[in-house]
């Protein structure tokens, strides 16, 4: 397997398809890099280098007990870029993965990154508090963690229905469950805390490269109004697209439209 090593000596899996301008894909929760296969195949065939990694604790990567925070996740992306000696990268993050790529830029800058794509964002902040009054109550995420501890397979199965808006095949639902169950339970639970409670307002203020933001209009997981709509306002000169009837998992349900929009953005 293709492996790179993190700063804390954790072995992390990645896939690297094709040649050309590199695109790094950061996956959402509770998935792994396999969620990107259709996109990666397309871009590799279009003359781009498609790279995706399994976040620590997920998929084929090592499962440490600690390190499920966004500073560490951004360090992991840094190590991947250094390991492959990449430059002129386009970073693509989906859902939880939007935090990874934003935190990477806010900590490491854009010397090696030229463009940014944010899909179904968790930014600027998910949880409701005095500084984020339109977010989601913490109690919702406390219940999610309890359900994961009680019956993770059943929770993921039900979660997938909302994730895809009940408009994908049974096969995609089965694949989603299989992918999710490869992750460690510790990582799955800790990441609920990380993606729901991390504040990305400062990270967004550091973005100074062309940025494309896409969200589904029918997202029941992370509604557009307090995520991508606000993110668009906070990233200067960013572009925003709203996919009509798109659920949170529009990477699957609107994959052809997504391919066209990303490749058009790449070629600008």
């Amino acid at each position: 397997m293709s492996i790179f090593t993190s700063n804390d000596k954790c072995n992390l899996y990645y896939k690297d398809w094709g040649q050309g301008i590199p695109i790094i894909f950061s996956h959402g929760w509770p998935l792994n890099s396999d969620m990107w296969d259709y996109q990666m195949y397309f871009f590799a065939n279009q003359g781009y280098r498609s790279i995706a990694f399994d976040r620590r604790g997920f998929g084929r990567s090592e499962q440490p007990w600690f390190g499920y925070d966004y500073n560490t996740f951004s360090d992991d992306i840094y190590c991947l870029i250094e390991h492959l000696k990449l430059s002129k990268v386009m970073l693509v993050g989906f859902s939880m993965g939007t935090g990874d790529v934003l935190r990477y830029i806010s900590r490491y800058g854009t010397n090696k990154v030229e463009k940014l794509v944010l899909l179904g964002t968790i930014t600027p902040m998910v949880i409701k508090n005095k500084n984020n009054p339109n977010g989601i109550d913490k109690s919702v995420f406390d219940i999610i963690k309890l359900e994961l501890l009680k019956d993770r397979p059943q929770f993921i199965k039900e979660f997938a229905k909302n994730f895809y808006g009940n408009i994908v095949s049974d096969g995609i639902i089965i694949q989603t469950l299989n992918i999710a169950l490869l992750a460690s339970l510790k990582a799955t639970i800790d990441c609920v805390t990380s993606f729901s409670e991390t504040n990305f307002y400062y990270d967004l203020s550091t973005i100074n490269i062309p940025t494309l933001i896409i969200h589904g209009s029918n997202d029941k997981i992370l509604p557009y109004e307090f995520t991508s709509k606000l993110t668009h306002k906070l990233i200067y000169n960013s572009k925003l697209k709203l996919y009509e009837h798109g659920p949170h998992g529009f990477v699957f349900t609107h994959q052809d439209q997504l391919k066209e929009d990303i490749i058009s953005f790449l070629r600008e």
Side-chain angles (χ1 to χ4, degrees):
M1 291 197 301
S2 299
I3 297 293
F4 70 100
T5 304
S6 68
N7 286 337
D8 58 350
K9 309 304 180 186
C10 184
N11 292 319
L12 304 178
Y13 169 84
Y14 69 96
K15 54 181 74 176
D16 185 354
W17 299 354
Q19 296 179 334
I21 295 171
I23 309 170
I24 294 180
F25 297 88
S26 184
H27 66 81
W29 180 95
L31 303 171
N32 63 39
S33 62
D34 291 346
M35 70 160 283
W36 295 114
D37 279 0
Y38 301 112
Q39 301 294 330
M40 290 183 66
Y41 181 85
F42 171 78
F43 285 105
N45 276 313
Q46 293 295 318
Y48 295 94
R49 186 177 178 183
S50 298
I51 302 161
F53 63 98
D54 289 353
R55 185 177 290 107
R56 57 175 57 221
F58 292 79
R60 291 135 293 199
S61 288
E62 203 168 335
Q63 300 184 356
W65 191 249
F66 300 107
Y68 300 105
D69 62 272
Y70 275 97
N71 282 349
T72 303
F73 298 149
S74 69
D75 289 343
D76 293 344
I77 292 177
Y78 169 82
C79 290
L80 175 60
I81 289 173
E82 293 302 305
H83 175 75
L84 295 176
K85 298 179 173 60
L86 302 177
S87 61
K88 298 182 179 180
V89 175
M90 184 169 82
L91 291 175
V92 181
F94 168 70
S95 193
M96 182 179 179
T98 59
D100 295 356
V101 296
L102 283 169
R103 183 59 54 89
Y104 169 84
I105 290 173
S106 74
R107 297 183 74 220
Y108 291 100
T110 55
N111 288 339
K112 297 187 177 182
V113 181
E114 291 199 340
K115 292 188 177 183
L116 177 65
V117 179
L118 304 173
L119 308 174
T121 66
I122 60 168
T123 58
M125 192 173 187
V126 174
I127 205 166
K128 180 185 289 185
N129 58 31
K130 63 180 181 180
N131 298 317
N132 194 51
N134 296 316
I136 300 171
D137 287 331
K138 182 177 181 296
S139 60
V140 172
F141 301 103
D142 291 338
I143 291 170
I144 288 173
K145 286 181 272 192
L146 288 173
E147 290 296 320
L148 287 166
L149 282 168
K150 183 174 69 175
D151 188 342
R152 179 166 58 147
Q154 187 60 33
F155 173 82
I156 298 296
K157 183 180 178 181
E158 294 302 317
F159 174 81
K161 295 176 182 178
N162 283 327
F163 190 89
Y164 297 118
N166 285 313
I167 53 175
V168 295
S169 67
D170 290 342
I172 293 293
I173 298 294
I174 293 168
Q175 181 194 34
T176 299
L177 181 59
N178 289 339
I179 289 173
L181 294 178
L182 288 174
S184 80
L185 181 59
K186 180 66 159 56
T188 304
I189 291 171
D190 281 9
C191 284
V192 174
T193 301
S194 295
F195 74 68
S196 66
E197 297 186 13
T198 302
N199 184 327
F200 293 100
Y201 277 92
Y202 171 75
D203 305 89
L204 292 168
S205 73
T206 69
I207 305 304
N208 59 359
I209 56 175
T211 301
L212 173 64
I213 304 164
I214 304 176
H215 212 98
S217 68
N218 197 34
D219 190 329
K220 304 300 185 185
I221 306 295
L222 293 168
Y224 154 77
E225 286 76 14
F226 75 87
T227 53
S228 288
K229 185 176 181 180
L230 289 178
T231 298
H232 172 52
K233 291 179 179 178
L234 292 166
I235 298 179
Y236 175 73
N237 209 28
S238 60
K239 296 182 178 182
L240 175 64
K241 284 182 172 282
L242 193 61
Y243 284 0
E244 188 175 357
H245 307 303
H248 189 60
F250 65 82
V251 173
F252 290 85
T253 62
H254 292 61
Q255 58 178 282
D256 290 340
Q257 185 176 354
L258 181 61
K259 292 168 188 171
E260 292 176 7
D261 286 335
I262 292 178
I263 203 164
S264 294
F265 181 62
L266 267 168
R267 290 171 174 171
E268 288 179 357

